[in-house]
Amino acid sequence: MELEMKQVRKSFGEKEVLKGISFRAEGGKAFGLLGRNGAGKTTSIRILMEVFPPDSGEILFSHAQAGKRNVQFGYLPEERGLYPKKKIIDQLVYFAMLKGMDRRSAVRSADYWLKRLDMQQHRNKRLDTLSKGNQQKIQLITALSHNPQVVILDEPFSGLDPVNAMLLKDVVKEEIAKGKIVLFSSHQMSYIEEFCDRIAILNGGEIVLSGDLHEIKRNYPRNRLVVRSEQHAQVAAAFGDACVTGEDGTLLLTLPQPDAKQHVMRQLAETYDIDEMKVFEPSLNDIFVEYTEQQV
């Protein structure tokens, strides 16, 4: 099972929002769609879900033209869209039935998810009586209760405390383990790194980087070392301009070429009291900033 966007273009008036973007997300894996505000993420998601059509290009699901007839989407939007004055169970059943479930199945599924997310005590309450984090959990249930094949999560951890964030992590991992396609859109890079095998970074309506996240990191020049030592002042002085001190007190040493690292690591270990030493690997946040700092 896979979802593919191929050479999709979309303009609104004279503004070209998507400029021929392509990416592929696979079942049983999480995919991260990243970009600054205005990069085209929301437009891409809305095209995937047939909110409006692309000007050109196509959306494929398991190599067939994607549409409501052959793919069920579950969508957690960044901007929440439930009814604050309505009873929670009534809303959950209503939205599940809109996705094709019969009433009995919708009630059963809603009750399962209320229990799974520790929300069963709020079943008959109005939505506006809940905290922001609990409202987020109810919104998540609307995205999952009809058992979709593709789950799209737009800033899913917004407003969640650490305990509820951990609960949501477990739920997402369960959905991935079921073989579903899970697509993340978020500015919280730590969550993307934790879940996503593949990413695509949008900038100015174009894909500026895509692929396997591990491979992307491995392809960066491996000519920098991260060093932690109680003798950091002496190490920094020995390496001069090739050494930068981070906010956490670690040292980042830039080597003249990658194949010098074994020699330098041995020299450091023999000369100084070293607590930690490793080859520097950029975080997803570092990569994101590099590819989006200049808005296209």
Side-chain angles (χ1 to χ4, degrees):
M1 182 167 61
E2 63 180 35
L3 182 68
E4 188 173 7
M5 182 174 269
K6 296 182 68 175
Q7 290 299 312
V8 168
R9 294 182 177 272
K10 184 66 180 178
S11 296
F12 296 100
E14 296 183 358
K15 173 67 173 177
E16 189 176 22
V17 179
L18 298 179
K19 303 173 182 178
I21 71 167
S22 300
F23 63 80
R24 179 172 55 87
E26 301 176 11
K29 296 181 179 180
F31 181 90
L33 183 62
L34 312 176
R36 292 171 58 182
N37 294 332
K41 302 187 304 298
T42 300
T43 299
S44 300
I45 290 170
R46 289 175 177 171
I47 289 174
L48 284 173
M49 298 178 61
E50 294 188 285
V51 175
F52 43 66
D55 296 335
S56 62
E58 57 183 347
I59 311 299
L60 302 176
F61 181 72
S62 295
H63 308 293
Q65 197 73 34
K68 293 183 175 67
R69 71 188 186 284
N70 66 338
V71 56
Q72 278 273 24
F73 286 94
Y75 180 38
L76 175 67
E78 181 178 7
E79 297 297 330
R80 311 312 175 209
L82 298 181
Y83 301 104
K85 304 297 182 183
K86 297 295 184 181
K87 190 186 297 185
I88 287 167
I89 185 61
D90 292 344
Q91 296 196 60
L92 295 178
V93 171
Y94 170 70
F95 282 109
M97 291 178 68
L98 283 181
K99 293 292 187 178
M101 298 187 82
D102 62 79
R103 177 172 290 276
R104 179 176 296 181
S105 297
V107 172
R108 187 185 306 117
S109 181
D111 282 331
Y112 165 80
W113 281 107
L114 286 167
K115 183 177 180 180
R116 178 68 185 86
L117 293 174
D118 194 25
M119 294 293 290
Q120 65 268 41
Q121 68 272 29
H122 302 298
R123 184 182 192 272
N124 295 305
K125 294 180 180 179
R126 290 187 346 186
L127 186 71
D128 61 2
T129 64
L130 272 57
S131 67
K132 181 180 178 182
N134 281 337
Q135 289 186 33
Q136 172 81 331
K137 289 162 75 175
I138 297 300
Q139 184 88 48
L140 177 65
I141 294 174
T142 67
L144 299 177
S145 62
H146 59 289
N147 193 29
Q149 296 150 302
V150 181
V151 180
I152 299 176
L153 304 173
D154 195 351
E155 298 295 352
F157 296 95
S158 175
L160 296 181
D161 60 47
V163 173
N164 280 323
M166 185 66 68
L167 179 58
L168 177 54
K169 286 182 184 181
D170 291 341
V171 168
V172 171
K173 290 174 182 176
E174 290 167 7
E175 294 299 292
I176 294 171
K178 292 175 184 176
K180 296 185 178 183
I181 296 169
V182 178
L183 193 153
F184 274 94
S185 177
S186 179
H187 292 113
Q188 295 175 287
M189 298 299 159
S190 60
Y191 291 123
I192 299 294
E193 283 198 273
E194 182 173 351
F195 287 106
C196 295
D197 301 284
R198 297 178 64 84
I199 63 164
I201 297 179
L202 272 167
N203 191 21
E206 299 177 306
I207 300 285
V208 292
L209 181 69
S210 65
D212 180 274
L213 181 54
H214 178 71
E215 289 302 315
I216 288 171
K217 290 184 174 185
R218 287 285 303 177
N219 287 334
Y220 268 71
R222 302 179 68 77
N223 65 333
R224 288 179 288 180
L225 297 177
V226 177
V227 178
R228 188 185 302 275
S229 171
E230 290 297 320
Q231 296 179 284
H232 60 271
Q234 294 94 315
V235 176
F239 283 84
D241 293 340
C243 179
V244 176
T245 303
E247 293 180 0
D248 61 353
T250 59
L251 302 173
L252 183 62
L253 309 183
T254 301
L255 310 179
Q257 58 270 339
D259 57 9
K261 63 178 177 289
Q262 295 299 334
H263 170 73
V264 173
M265 291 173 80
R266 186 164 53 250
Q267 180 185 13
L268 285 165
E270 292 173 352
T271 309
Y272 305 99
D273 181 13
I274 301 297
D275 297 320
E276 181 184 7
M277 184 165 44
K278 61 183 179 181
V279 175
F280 172 78
E281 186 175 83
S283 68
L284 180 55
N285 192 73
D286 296 328
I287 296 168
F288 180 82
V289 170
E290 177 182 343
Y291 279 86
T292 63
E293 194 167 15
Q294 298 298 322
Q295 187 81 40
V296 174

